[in-house]
Every structure is written in structure tokens, then in C-alpha cells.
Amino acid sequence: MCAERSHRYEALLKILRYAVHELPAGVLYGPNGASAKECAELVTDLNEFEVLCRELGQDQSVFIERCRWHFEHYPHYLERRRHFNSYAQYIEGRGGPLNV
């Protein structure tokens, strides 16, 4: 059971790291920028990852907090992107983390 949880932890960590590795350009989902629906899926993955972190004794609290900020704010940016030069400008204007 612990091996299964460790494997899932690693798989989710890989997904989450990939999603934010292009920051501050944007959040990715696969090879493309994430949609609002895909950001919601990433939040679900992040919630599962957070539970696994507690179960496995892994402190990823800063990573989780920063991912959550982007996964929750990126859909808002997408709706209003015509008002911004870039996602980096959006992040800076809201005091968010430029990277994870």
C-alpha cells in the first residue's frame, strides 16, 4: 500500500511540476496552455497530492500553496487576458508568486 501511495505521489508531483514549469508565461496542461476546466482538474490533482504528502510525511506546503494560487487564478486571467500584456503582469499585479 505504501509503495502504491509513493508511486502516486511521484506521478502527481511530475504532473504538477510540468503544469507550472513555464511560469510566469502560463499554466500548462499537456503541451498547451491550460483551460479553466483543466485548471480545475489540476486543483483536484493538487488536493490528492496534498493528502498523500500528509500520509507520507512529505512537506510540500510551499509548492502546494504556490500551485494552488496559479491553478485558481489562471482561469480568471484567461477570462480577462485582453486587459494584460502577459500572465506575468497579471501575477505581479495580484502579488502572486512568479514561479513555483
Side-chain angles (χ1 to χ4, degrees), residues 34-94:
S35 67
K37 180 182 177 188
E38 292 165 338
C39 283
E41 291 174 21
L42 289 167
V43 168
T44 298
D45 287 343
L46 186 63
N47 290 339
E48 181 183 354
F49 180 74
E50 186 173 28
V51 169
L52 286 170
C53 285
R54 281 194 301 269
E55 291 174 355
L56 297 171
Q58 298 291 326
D59 182 9
Q60 293 280 2
S61 56
V62 172
F63 176 73
I64 291 167
E65 177 183 322
R66 290 180 176 184
C67 283
R68 190 172 310 282
W69 193 96
H70 288 287
F71 299 161
E72 291 176 352
H73 284 84
Y74 195 66
H76 181 255
Y77 162 75
L78 292 175
E79 292 174 1
R80 302 181 47 80
R81 71 177 138 201
R82 70 180 185 277
H83 300 288
F84 302 96
N85 292 326
S86 65
Y87 184 53
Q89 180 190 25
Y90 175 90
I91 296 167
E92 289 175 1
R94 281 156 181 72

Side-chain angles (χ1 to χ4, degrees), residues 14-28 42 63 66-68 70-71 98-100:
K14 183 177 179 180
I15 290 166
L16 297 169
R17 281 185 176 160
Y18 179 82
V20 296
H21 87 273
E22 291 288 333
L23 290 174
V27 174
L28 294 179
L42 289 167
F63 176 73
R66 290 180 176 184
C67 283
R68 190 172 310 282
H70 288 287
F71 299 161
L98 288 172
N99 59 40
V100 176

